[in-house]
Every structure is written in structure tokens, then in C-alpha cells.
Amino acid sequence: MIGTEEDVTQDLTRAVGGEHVSSRPSDVMFYARDCWARRHLMPDDPPRHPVWVVWPGAASEVARVLQVAGRHELAVVPYGGGSNLVGGAGFGDDRPVLVVDTKRMSRVLELDETSLIVQAQAGITGGDLDEYLRVRGLFVAHMPTSLSQSTLGGWLATRSAGAFTSRYGRIDRVCMGITAALPDGSVVRTRVAPRRATGPDLMHLFLGSEGALGIITAAHLKVVRVSKVRVWLAGGFKELSQAVAAMADIMSSGTRPVVASIADPVVALRHSGQPSFMLVCSFEGDGELPVVQRDEARLLVLAHGGAYLDPAAASGFWTARRNDVFGDIIARAESRVIGEVDIGADWRHLAMVADDARGRLESMGCGVTMELGFFGLEGGALLCKWQLPEISDPEDVGLRQDEALAIVLDAARRGGGAVAHHRGVGRQRSAAVRAQLGNRFDLFADVKRQLDPKGLMNPWLTEGA
Amino acid sequence: MLDDFEKELAYCAYCPKLCRHVCPVGNAERRESVIPQAKMAMGHMARNGTVSLTEDYASVFFYCNGCGLCTEFCEHDIPVSEVLFEARAEAVARGVQPKTLQNFADRFYARNERLVRKLHGLVDEHYFVEEAQVAYMPGCDLIDDSPDDVQKTLDLFAAAGVDYVSIMESDLVCGGYPLWAAGYQSEFRHVAEEQARRLSGYRKVILACPACVYTIRHVYPKFGVNVTAEVVHVSEFLDTIAHRLPVKQTVQAAYYHDPCYLGRWLGVYEPPRRLAGLVTRKVLEFAHNREQADCCGGGGLVPDVAPQTASAIAERRLEEPNQAGVGVVVTACATCVKNLGRAGRDMEVLDIVSLLHRSLE
Ligand SMILES: Cc1cc2nc3c(=O)[nH]c(=O)nc-3n(C[C@H](O)[C@H](O)[C@H](O)COP(=O)(O)OP(=O)(O)OC[C@H]3O[C@@H](n4cnc5c(N)ncnc54)[C@H](O)[C@@H]3O)c2cc1C
Ligand code: SF4
Ligand code: SF4
């Protein structure tokens, strides 16, 4: 660091105003953690705290903050809702850390109800954005389960996916342009038109960059009109491969489900009374169309050997997902060790990857549940959750957790899939991602060096590169 | 004792911030340290010794309106504010409460004395009848900040032909909620015991302050203090005599704001709405109403600890009527009137009692 802590505090105060800078221990300690169960959610105090937190109110203030960081050679970590599950809030080296909390940048800047595009500041929470749109008969075409806990900037920075991804695409399809403050203190805007062929698109470089290249301060997103009709489809299958094949056909048939998921037999049993893999879809729109689409999809379920189940099982499964998260809290508070990870694979490999991961986790003695979802035309995600068997030596817990995680990531690799589908990389998976990307990762590190020669921004992604 | 809440603290500490979006204080401050999960995690760490409480660490416990929105949202029904008030007591016991709450009990008693005198100056002495069966207890914020509403309430009783309600003759005008919320538990217990003796001299007591109705009905018993009198909120009582109130509709449109303690904590939603409907052509609902109603920012002593935060919460609550161009917000709590009123500028924020009184024929 160049200068003293007091110098930095003074400069930050000039950049954003004294009431928007804090070094209070009670503040900084909560910015050293996020929702990564492995370390940050743990109620023990993480060892390293940032020194400052700032709350800028606009892109220009973010730029000024980054200039201060550059002048003093600090490490900078952006922070949205801190809802990421992968350890995005950590820091790699010994430099004093400055956290930039984006949540004061929480305004909707523009809504174009004709083109159905909204522009909002990056610190707006999904819940606030959704509420703003709902009263106008619209909603944001991105609906992660963590909608109310996460921010627009966080979605973009992690390349996230949501419940309606099967219909509207992941955040990289929903986003149409961004404004970002770069490490040199300049501000860049990428949106020139809804669709463009104006060379490589800088926006896509920032999507998934997890704070390593700069700070996203605003974005344009597609919005959707709320539809009048929603119908559900539930189908039961003996084999996961049958359910996956049926879903692949549904996704390519043009029936365009909004919610699309495949639930594990243990979960399905609770809702349908049948211990089978349960395919769940919702079809939404106006008039007859959703019913026609549902009927078309139902034929595909039957064609793949599935049984038609009561649609209430599908809607019940969907609403109960919230309770699963509350259930995990009990498990964690009771010191049961659970872990979860999202990986991606194409249709051809999805069932195989799932069976592979399940088999190996079960042979470790883990209880396993899986959900397949977030589908696109080419494949989808596998959300794999496990509970470790009781471990007598607490020292072993970390090792066994690593082992379980490695099994699932290896299954993804063996099936040619991605070791992270939508929750980002964080500390949890930086080594695995680096290994998977190989020399492509070095290319990314080169880009980072160009944009961020002093290495100010969230350094973990390129640590050791 | 925080040990009594081991499970609650652990659940929140391990929760992935699920209720953060409903917390008025978290939303106004945008600091991670004051979302419900973090405040509870601090309690958890204080309990298990990971942190030793300093004034700074303990400050987060005082950033809570006691609104109950987190509890309403939580599948585990964690009573966050109750736990945080307990954590405040821990802070007080260690002398690390916020500066603005130091010597709070002395100030409570001094204010009480002042308000007892003020009350006697507000209404005629004939309203204080020793042998009465049914008493009216206006409460501190009403006497202090909406003093006219005391006489207006008595006028409404009279207009409905109710002549048996006297004002509670007491040297204590408060049920003790501020002491409980400040973490001054031994002083709170003392006030509760004293007040219970006085209240139990009546068959029924009508209170204007929802927080004190809640405190007397639900917190006193937790401190081993029981009250034999039936304790009701003034809106509940007025609702039972509303058919005899000679009022007419004089207001075009008004939003009804649910006070947190009256609504979420006591479950009283309809009586004040019915009363407002007697005199208002259109009683408008906030998008977040009843169980989901947003807080005004005035509860839990947040205005004492973080006045700007309390104002920001109130401003946010008033955005909706402002945008709708409706200039009247009615509620049923003097603390809400005070806090919303301060932020209201061009908005008229008034108690249901005031609204009814204005419409007396
Ligand atoms: C209960 C629960 C359910 C979840 N469900 C989903 C789901 O359905 N789909 C899904 O994709 N994820 C899900 N997640 C994970 C998480 O919500 C997402 O990763 C989300 O996108 C993170 O947003 P955030 O605002 O909380 O970001 P944070 O956690 O604050 O940050 C995430 C990363 O992005 C960086 N960052 C944050 N803001 C910016 C910015 N403005 N500019 C640059 N970098 C930034 C941070 O430095 C960090 O590296 C879930 C999490 C929880 C707890
Ligand atoms: S009250 Fe419930 S939802 Fe809120 S932090 Fe605690 S456990 Fe989570
Ligand atoms: S009771 Fe209200 S103010 Fe207190 S933590 Fe819960 S939501 Fe926040």
C-alpha cells in the first residue's frame, strides 16, 4: 500500500462522502463473508477483514474510488448481495482490501415499455427490480432463487441463471448492455443498440468476470409482460435418462416451457406420491397457447415412456423449493455437513454425469439429492447436493468435503461438461476452472493484465496465473 | 439471557440471508452488518465467545425496529427482534450500549414525570375517576407528540354515548415498551410490576399505544408479570361502538398504514380499516399491507440511535401515496404518526382518532 490508512480514508471520503465510508469493525467483518457454506457462512469470524467499505451512489463515484485504489495500490472487491455460494468475498494476498458495496446504486434509470427494456443501477436487488416491474405488468426475465438476496451486478458478474432460464435464457441473454467502471478510473458503456454486429462485444467479457476486471455499475435488461395463463405439466419416469431425453425433446419442440426441471425420486415422492424422476414444466402466455404447448409436451413425456402425473405435483414441487433452503439451515445449525454444487452438461451426457456423480458420492456414504434444470437448447445444469456421513474427527470434515466436491466436478469433466454452470467460480472452484480452461485461462489473465495492470481488482480469479 | 435463544441464533447465523429484503433498517442502511442475518450472527458470535462485545459490535443489535417482518417471512418463525432486544440487554449489562441510550432509564422516568403533569393539563380533572371500571391510557408518544388526540378520543367516546371511561389515574403513563426495547430489563421488570398493579384495578383498559398493548399482553408474562384487566387497543374499542358514532364521510381518499405492533404482532387489521371506512370514501391499501406492511421506522428506538435511518424508512413508506398523489395517510399509533409525519412534508399523517373526530357531525 502506498500512503497510510488515514490517507486512504481521506481520499475515499473525498470520493464518496464521509457517511459512505466505513472502517468500523462491525461493518468490515461482514464483508469478509458471503454465503459460501465452507467458510463464509460459518459464524466463526473469518481471519482477514477488509479495511474499508464504501458505498458509492453512481458510476462516477465508483470511478473515483477506483482511482483512489489505484493511487494507493489496494485490493478491491465488489460486493452486491453477498449471496454467492462460492466464496467470492475472499482475498488472495496481503494487501489491504477495499470493498465496494454497490447497494446504494439501486435505482431504475429507464423503462422502455415499448421495446421492453429496463436500465437499472447494478446494486438494485432483484426483489426491488421485480417489484418495480410487477406493478407495471412486467417482470425481469431473470429469476434466480436468490432473487431478493442478490443484485443485478452480482447476477452479471457471476453469469447466473434463473428459474425462467429455459424460456428466456441465462443472464447473458437477458442482458443487453452494461456500464462499468474500469480499474484505471474510466467508465465504459457497451450498449449501442439492442442487436449489433460491431465487432467483439466487451459486455460478454464482463459477464462472469466476478469483479476481476472492473465494477459493473448499471445494465440494460430485457423484461417480459406478465402472462395471464400458467399451466403445469408433471411426468414420472423410471430412469433419469428417459426424463432427460423427454426434456431435451420438449426444449427443442418449440413448446417453450418457462419453468423446466427434473426432480429426484425422493423429492418427487413428497409431491406426487411416486418415487420416480419427475419432469416438471410450466407453460405461460395468454389465451389457448399455454394449454396447446402443455398438451404437445405431454405427448413427448408419453413417447419417452413417462407416466402423466397430477399437475399439482409440479406446482407443489415448485413452491416447496423455498422450504428446501430453510431445511438446509437446520442441517447446518445441527452441524450436519452438507455441500452442493452446480455443474453443466449437454443433453447427451447429462444423465450419465448425474449417475456417475451419484454413484461415487453414495459409495462415500453420502446421502445425495439432485435436481436438473436451467435448460437451454443444448443441455442444462445439474444441482447436486450431498450430506456427508457422520465424521468423528472434525479435522477430517474439510478433506471429506473437498473429496465430495472433487467427485462431482470430475464427473462433469468426464462428461465434457462445465465445472460451474451458473453460480460462478469463487474460491470454491478457481483451481478446477483453471485446470479445465487450460491455456484459455492464460488468455483471460492477459486480458486482465491489460485492463488492470496493477492487479487491483478481485485477484482470486487470476491468482497464480 | 442469550443462551435461551441458542437455536434461534444458530439458525440465523447459518441462513443465507433469506429475509434480508424485508428488513426496513437493512434496506435503508444498505450495510451488510444490519440485515437480520448479520445482527443475529453477531449475537451468535457474542454467545459463543467468538467476539467479545464492544460498543461498536453491540451497536448492530440496536438497528432493529422490532417490526417483525423478518419473523413473518421466516419459515422457522425466528423472533429476531425479541432475540435482539435480549442481546441489547446483554450490551446494557456490559455497559456497551449506544451513547444515546446511556442513562436511558433515568431519562425514561424523567419523561414519564413530565408527561404525567402534561396529561393533567390536557384534559379536565373530571376525567380522572378513581372508582372507574374502564380506563383509557393514552401512552407517552400520544401525550407528547399528538396531545390533542387525547381529548379527541374522549370526545369520540362521549359522542358514542360511552360515559363510563375515565382516564387512568397513575404516576406511570407508559407500559414500559421503551425500557424493554432499550435492554434495560431490571427497570422494565419494575415498571411492569408497578403498572400491572395499577392496571389490575380496572376491568378493562383501553390503550392508544400498540407497542404497550403488545408489551402488556405478551412481554409482561415472559417476565412473570400478569395483568387481570382486559387490555385492548383504542381502535378495537372504538370498533365495538362505531355504530353509535355520529360521523359522516368527509375524506375523499386516504391510505391506511398498519402499525407493526398493532398489525403483525397483535393481529389487529380490520378494526382500524372499518373505522377509517366510516369517514373516508376510499380507504386505499399500500402494496405491502396487513401481514406484509412495511414499517414506519419509528419502533425499536431506532429514531434514538439512528434518526436518519428512521427518517429514510419513513420516506420510503410514503413514496407510494406520494406517487399516487394522495395527500392523507391514516394510522392507529402515535409513534407512526410522529415518524411518518416528520418525513411527510406535504403529506397529512394522522391517527384514526383524529380522522374520526374531524368527521363528527
Ligand atoms: C438461497 C440461494 C439461492 C440461489 N439461487 C441461485 C439461482 O437460482 N441461480 C444462480 O445463478 N445463483 C443462485 N444463487 C447464488 C447467488 O445468488 C448468485 O451467484 C448471485 O448472482 C450473486 O449475486 P450477489 O449480488 O449476491 O453477488 P455477490 O455475492 O455480492 O458477488 C458475487 C461475485 O460478483 C462480484 N460482484 C458483485 N457485484 C459486482 C459488480 N457490480 N461488478 C463486478 N463484480 C461484482 C463479487 O466480487 C463476487 O465475486 C443462490 C444463492 C442463494 C443463497
Ligand atoms: S429470521 Fe429466518 S430467514 Fe431471517 S435470517 Fe433468521 S433464519 Fe434466516
Ligand atoms: S424485526 Fe424488522 S427491523 Fe428488526 S431485524 Fe426484523 S425486519 Fe429488521
Side-chain angles (χ1 to χ4, degrees):
Chain A
M1 182 174 83
I2 298 174
T4 64
E5 284 190 11
E6 290 74 50
D7 295 339
V8 177
T9 306
Q10 268 180 18
D11 286 355
L12 291 173
T13 301
R14 268 194 289 275
V16 294
E19 70 274 36
H20 304 306
V21 181
S22 176
S23 289
R24 281 163 42 175
S26 61
D27 277 333
V28 293
M29 73 187 292
F30 288 103
Y31 288 93
R33 50 183 91 211
D34 46 35
C35 290
W36 183 28
R38 174 71 190 276
R39 205 177 79 205
H40 294 268
L41 199 62
M42 302 289 264
D44 304 323
D45 202 13
R48 246 164 70 66
H49 295 172
V51 182
W52 306 269
V53 186
V54 293
W55 291 266
S60 55
E61 288 187 8
V62 178
R64 284 206 291 274
V65 166
L66 292 179
Q67 284 161 7
V68 174
R71 213 159 40 242
H72 294 283
E73 299 196 348
L74 312 173
V76 179
V77 179
Y79 200 100
S83 72
N84 77 82
L85 298 154
V86 294
F91 330 103
D93 58 31
D94 294 336
R95 280 176 299 165
V97 171
L98 163 66
V99 167
V100 180
D101 184 334
T102 60
K103 289 192 290 296
R104 199 161 72 84
M105 297 190 289
S106 59
R107 291 181 41 197
V108 172
L109 301 172
E110 192 189 356
L111 173 64
D112 176 345
E113 294 193 50
T114 310
S115 312
L116 295 180
I117 298 172
V118 69
Q119 189 195 15
Q121 287 182 303
I124 193 168
T125 59
D128 282 352
L129 180 57
D130 192 54
E131 199 163 312
Y132 178 91
L133 293 168
R134 292 266 169 194
V135 293
R136 291 162 175 82
L138 302 166
F139 65 97
V140 61
H142 184 70
M143 202 59 60
T145 315
S146 56
L147 183 79
S148 300
Q149 296 105 57
S150 55
T151 61
L152 167 54
W155 300 345
L156 298 165
T158 56
R159 239 176 221 276
S160 80
F164 302 162
T165 281
S166 302
R167 171 76 168 261
Y168 304 111
R170 291 173 290 263
I171 192 67
D172 36 308
R173 276 202 40 216
V174 173
C175 182
M176 312 190 65
I178 59 162
T179 305
L182 303 182
D184 66 0
S186 60
V187 173
V188 58
R189 292 179 178 79
T190 67
R191 182 168 186 266
V192 286
R195 169 72 176 82
R196 52 195 176 266
T198 48
D201 191 341
L202 191 63
M203 173 184 99
H204 284 285
L205 188 60
F206 272 81
L207 302 191
S209 63
E210 297 184 36
L213 300 180
I215 299 183
I216 301 164
T217 59
H220 287 81
L221 297 185
K222 282 187 220 166
V223 298
V224 183
R225 287 193 211 288
V226 175
S227 36
K228 297 194 180 80
V229 183
R230 171 187 266 189
V231 290
W232 289 95
L233 168 70
F237 294 85
K238 263 209 195 82
E239 303 294 335
L240 177 61
S241 55
Q242 295 172 304
V244 169
M247 189 63 94
D249 277 359
I250 289 172
M251 286 301 297
S252 60
S253 67
T255 56
R256 306 185 73 207
V258 176
V259 170
S261 220
I262 299 172
D264 237 15
V266 273
V267 178
L269 183 64
R270 290 205 289 272
H271 301 286
S272 66
Q274 308 281 329
S276 52
F277 290 96
M278 183 167 71
L279 175 149
V280 168
C281 288
S282 80
F283 300 90
E284 299 175 24
D286 296 338
E288 296 295 308
L289 190 59
V291 175
V292 173
Q293 289 172 326
R294 194 259 326 266
D295 292 346
E296 184 73 17
R298 188 161 50 181
L299 294 178
L300 295 170
V301 166
L302 299 177
H304 284 278
Y308 178 53
L309 300 174
D310 183 350
S315 56
F317 158 76
W318 194 247
T319 33
R321 286 171 95 240
R322 171 186 130 108
N323 296 354
D324 290 347
V325 187
F326 279 102
D328 291 348
I329 298 172
I330 307 182
R332 293 207 162 97
E334 289 175 351
S335 304
R336 279 181 272 148
V337 185
I338 53 177
E340 59 177 326
V341 69
D342 57 294
I343 53 173
D346 60 21
W347 291 119
R348 195 149 63 91
H349 295 94
L350 207 44
M352 189 192 86
V353 169
D355 290 340
D356 181 13
R358 185 195 297 275
R360 287 156 73 195
L361 285 171
E362 283 177 350
S363 65
M364 255 182 92
C366 295
V368 183
T369 45
M370 290 190 175
E371 186 188 330
L372 279 66
F374 304 94
F375 300 116
L377 285 175
E378 70 294 343
L382 168 66
L383 287 170
C384 178
K385 188 185 285 186
W386 62 87
Q387 183 175 326
L388 289 183
E390 219 165 287
I391 300 167
S392 48
D393 184 355
E395 303 269 305
D396 274 354
V397 171
L399 289 174
R400 303 280 281 165
Q401 270 295 62
D402 287 346
E403 199 183 326
L405 177 66
I407 283 177
V408 187
L409 299 185
D410 187 50
R413 266 190 299 264
R414 295 210 291 198
V419 293
H421 180 268
H422 57 272
R423 288 178 180 172
V425 182
R427 305 191 101 64
Q428 186 197 41
R429 277 177 272 182
S430 58
V433 167
R434 239 172 299 172
Q436 185 165 52
L437 293 184
N439 61 0
R440 282 168 296 165
F441 187 82
D442 297 337
L443 209 55
F444 175 74
D446 282 344
V447 173
K448 177 168 165 65
R449 267 190 288 274
Q450 284 296 318
L451 279 174
D452 183 17
K454 290 184 179 168
L456 306 177
M457 301 300 307
N458 209 359
W460 63 261
L461 201 60
T462 44
E463 257 166 32
Chain B
M1 288 267 288
L2 280 180
D3 282 349
D4 296 340
F5 296 105
E6 180 184 358
K7 185 190 100 179
E8 288 79 1
L9 290 165
Y11 276 26
C12 292
Y14 285 98
C15 172
K17 311 182 181 180
L18 293 177
C19 64
R20 71 166 305 144
H21 60 294
V22 299
C23 179
V25 179
N27 287 335
E29 291 256 335
R30 315 259 176 220
R31 285 193 289 144
E32 284 305 292
S33 53
V34 296
I35 66 171
Q37 186 270 341
K39 292 180 277 202
M40 293 289 276
M42 183 68 88
H44 182 83
M45 290 187 279
R47 198 191 82 80
N48 70 15
T50 308
V51 299
S52 61
L53 282 184
T54 58
E55 187 181 326
D56 173 50
Y57 283 148
S59 68
V60 303
F61 304 145
F62 294 84
Y63 281 78
C64 170
N65 284 122
C67 73
L69 272 163
C70 48
T71 308
E72 179 69 33
F73 178 83
C74 179
E75 281 294 314
H76 299 304
D77 287 329
I78 305 286
V80 173
S81 58
E82 193 188 336
V83 182
L84 292 177
F85 287 6
E86 193 64 36
R88 293 177 181 193
E90 195 89 18
V92 171
R94 298 185 198 191
V96 292
Q97 71 273 44
K99 297 231 163 23
T100 49
L101 295 185
Q102 273 163 15
N103 307 319
F104 185 77
D106 296 344
R107 281 186 283 132
F108 173 86
Y109 287 123
R111 183 183 187 218
N112 176 69
E113 253 178 58
R114 177 171 63 76
L115 294 181
V116 170
R117 281 197 304 278
K118 182 170 177 183
L119 178 60
H120 278 267
L122 283 178
V123 291
D124 194 88
E125 279 304 311
H126 82 267
Y127 283 110
F128 297 85
V129 180
E130 254 178 46
E131 302 78 19
Q133 292 287 300
V134 182
Y136 168 55
M137 178 176 158
C140 8
D141 276 354
L142 196 80
I143 302 172
D144 219 3
D145 301 297
S146 308
D148 295 347
D149 285 359
V150 179
Q151 183 63 54
K152 285 179 189 170
T153 309
L154 298 169
D155 290 349
L156 289 174
F157 294 162
V162 173
D163 56 3
Y164 52 82
V165 179
S166 75
I167 292 199
M168 188 167 146
E169 175 66 285
S170 171
D171 52 356
L172 268 176
V173 291
C174 177
Y177 169 80
L179 288 172
W180 178 53
Y184 283 73
Q185 289 196 348
S186 54
E187 291 84 351
F188 170 70
R189 185 189 301 278
H190 175 71
V191 165
E193 283 164 355
E194 289 297 311
Q195 196 60 285
R197 258 191 323 108
R198 290 163 178 72
L199 291 166
S200 297
Y202 298 94
R203 189 172 54 72
K204 179 188 268 192
V205 183
I206 303 156
L207 269 72
C209 172
C212 278
V213 178
Y214 175 78
T215 306
I216 294 166
R217 281 200 209 156
H218 299 284
V219 185
Y220 280 21
K222 289 184 182 153
F223 282 73
V225 178
N226 290 303
V227 171
T228 54
E230 183 194 359
V231 173
V232 296
H233 185 253
V234 68
S235 66
E236 294 176 285
F237 182 73
L238 283 172
D239 190 43
T240 63
I241 57 169
H243 56 285
R244 297 207 300 272
L245 274 176
V247 286
K248 57 179 185 300
Q249 288 194 328
T250 55
V251 180
Q252 273 303 330
Y255 274 84
Y256 175 70
H257 164 79
D258 289 281
C260 300
Y261 279 100
L262 189 63
R264 256 183 308 279
W265 291 111
L266 291 166
V268 178
Y269 296 112
E270 300 315 322
R273 282 182 169 76
R274 277 195 290 269
L275 293 169
L278 291 177
V279 295
T280 311
R281 272 185 199 97
K282 261 207 231 141
V283 180
L284 300 165
E285 294 291 353
F286 283 87
H288 294 180
N289 61 64
R290 295 183 170 80
E291 289 85 353
Q292 265 73 47
D294 288 326
C295 176
C296 76
L301 302 180
V302 171
D304 295 57
V305 175
Q308 284 179 346
T309 306
S311 302
I313 296 168
E315 275 164 28
R316 192 173 159 132
R317 182 60 167 162
L318 292 181
E319 267 170 22
E320 203 174 326
N322 267 326
Q323 274 166 14
V326 174
V328 184
V329 173
V330 62
T331 184
C333 166
T335 310
C336 296
V337 170
K338 176 163 71 171
N339 208 51
L340 291 175
R342 275 185 197 145
R345 285 184 287 272
D346 305 329
M347 183 77 58
E348 189 182 17
V349 182
L350 71 177
D351 196 283
I352 185 68
V353 161
S354 228
L355 188 77
L356 289 169
H357 192 270
R358 176 188 293 183
S359 312
L360 275 178
E361 282 175 332

